[in-house]
Amino acid sequence: MGVVIGLTGSIATGKSTVSLMFDDYGIPVVDADKLSREVVKPGRDAYNQIVSVFGEGILREDHTLDRKALGEIVFNNDEKRKQLNEIVHPAVRSEMVRERDQYLMQGDKAVVLDIPLLFESQLTDYVDKTLVVAVDEEVQLKRLMERDGSTKEEALSRIRSQISITEKSRMADEVIDNNGSKKETYDQLDAILRKWEILP
Ligand SMILES: CC(C)(COP(=O)(O)OP(=O)(O)OC[C@H]1O[C@@H](n2cnc3c(N)ncnc32)[C@H](O)[C@@H]1O)[C@@H](O)C(=O)NCCC(=O)NCCS
Ligand SMILES: Nc1ncnc2c1ncn2[C@@H]1O[C@H](COP(=O)(O)OP(=O)(O)OP(=O)(O)O)[C@@H](O)[C@H]1O
């Protein structure tokens, strides 16, 4: 049976960057962020529930979700974030398990579940190994502000919505230090995959 790797980190620590490296090895990745965007498309159950809870003020003119507006609400209010999670997460979880099992059935040696909230949502039972991508907090803040063009306040409200990267690193089976170059990150991933006997 293939190994299921739970890939996580905290926001902007480099999960997507490492997930692209898995692509290079031909190891399939199931991306929870991507699924969470699909299950809230107009007409889907989760979309209808979000509109009924948060109102039409979080819709754009074309009726798709205004993710920035919804983000401003939920990253500044724990109760509202919990409500959104309760709507979106079950749909993401069932799709993720379906895709994971499909890869395992077709005989893949490993499959990656890229889940930002692996520890927050207590999803570690869905995976065999946990891999955390970590950077120092000042690097995280800088990369997040640069990537999203966000203010320090906006970036900090997102960072504070998650368990700290220090704590996640303590819970992980393996940690990749992504403070350095992408090449250094690649080398660490390579070593871990060899240690786990996923690569020869
Ligand atoms: C609030 C929303 C609309 C903001 O959308 P936006 O396009 O700005 O961000 P995006 O979805 O690309 O998420 C970026 C990052 O934010 C962090 N994040 C997203 N949702 C959450 C959450 N509920 N709690 C903590 N961190 C979160 C993750 O690190 C994620 O990688 C969106 O994040 C959302 O629907 N969140 C709820 C679903 C969820 O938990 N998704 C993450 C894992 S399934
Ligand atoms: N080793 C690195 N050196 C320089 N920049 C990097 C490195 N790793 C990642 N980055 C940059 O940092 C930003 C955050 O990385 P990435 O998008 O991979 O994080 P993430 O953990 O997937 O974020 P999110 O939680 O929002 O999904 C991106 O702009 C990325 O290009």
Side-chain angles (χ1 to χ4, degrees), residues 124-200:
T124 49
D125 284 350
Y126 289 72
V127 303
D128 301 312
K129 301 272 189 196
T130 56
L131 177 57
V132 161
V133 185
V135 292
D136 295 340
E137 281 173 10
E138 62 273 18
V139 175
Q140 180 185 22
L141 182 62
K142 183 169 173 287
R143 286 185 186 165
L144 178 56
M145 289 171 64
E146 275 173 14
R147 187 194 63 186
D148 291 358
S150 48
T151 64
K152 189 171 176 186
E153 272 320 302
E154 285 168 338
L156 284 174
S157 70
R158 288 199 178 214
I159 290 174
R160 288 179 186 140
S161 302
Q162 300 186 352
I163 295 175
S164 78
I165 194 63
T166 316
E167 209 175 316
K168 286 186 184 178
S169 298
R170 262 191 247 120
M171 295 190 270
D173 289 319
E174 292 290 339
V175 179
I176 290 182
D177 175 345
N178 186 37
N179 286 300
S181 68
K182 290 187 185 172
K183 166 79 172 69
E184 285 168 307
T185 293
Y186 219 118
D187 290 345
Q188 292 173 68
L189 177 62
D190 206 270
I192 290 167
L193 294 178
R194 284 175 208 291
K195 181 174 167 190
W196 286 347
E197 297 181 345
I198 291 166
L199 293 179

Side-chain angles (χ1 to χ4, degrees), residues 3-4 24 37 43 78 103 122 158 162 192 195:
V3 182
V4 182
D24 290 344
R37 281 180 216 119
D78 291 351
Y103 286 120
Q122 293 156 336
R158 288 199 178 214
Q162 300 186 352
I192 290 167
K195 181 174 167 190

Side-chain angles (χ1 to χ4, degrees), residues 11 33 37 67 75 81 84-85 89 116-117 158 162:
I11 186 160
D33 272 343
R37 281 180 216 119
R67 303 181 67 86
F75 293 117
R81 192 169 63 254
L84 179 66
N85 289 348
H89 288 183
L117 304 177
R158 288 199 178 214
Q162 300 186 352

Side-chain angles (χ1 to χ4, degrees), residues 4-18:
V4 182
I5 301 169
L7 173 66
T8 195
S10 291
I11 186 160
T13 60
K15 281 179 309 299
S16 308
T17 304
V18 171

Side-chain angles (χ1 to χ4, degrees), residues 66-137:
D66 182 341
R67 303 181 67 86
K68 191 166 164 52
L70 189 53
E72 266 159 28
I73 298 172
V74 304
F75 293 117
N76 290 296
N77 182 322
D78 291 351
E79 193 48 45
K80 299 263 188 223
R81 192 169 63 254
K82 194 162 163 268
Q83 275 182 299
L84 179 66
N85 289 348
E86 279 165 6
I87 297 171
V88 180
H89 288 183
V92 172
R93 218 158 29 227
S94 56
E95 183 55 26
M96 218 161 48
V97 166
R98 198 185 66 77
E99 290 188 18
R100 175 197 69 181
D101 293 347
Q102 223 167 23
Y103 286 120
L104 292 175
M105 293 271 288
Q106 71 189 31
D108 279 273
K109 199 161 183 205
V111 52
V112 175
L113 303 190
D114 176 350
I115 317 178
L117 304 177
L118 180 73
F119 292 114
E120 287 86 345
S121 302
Q122 293 156 336
L123 298 176
T124 49
D125 284 350
Y126 289 72
V127 303
D128 301 312
K129 301 272 189 196
T130 56
L131 177 57
V132 161
V133 185
V135 292
D136 295 340
E137 281 173 10

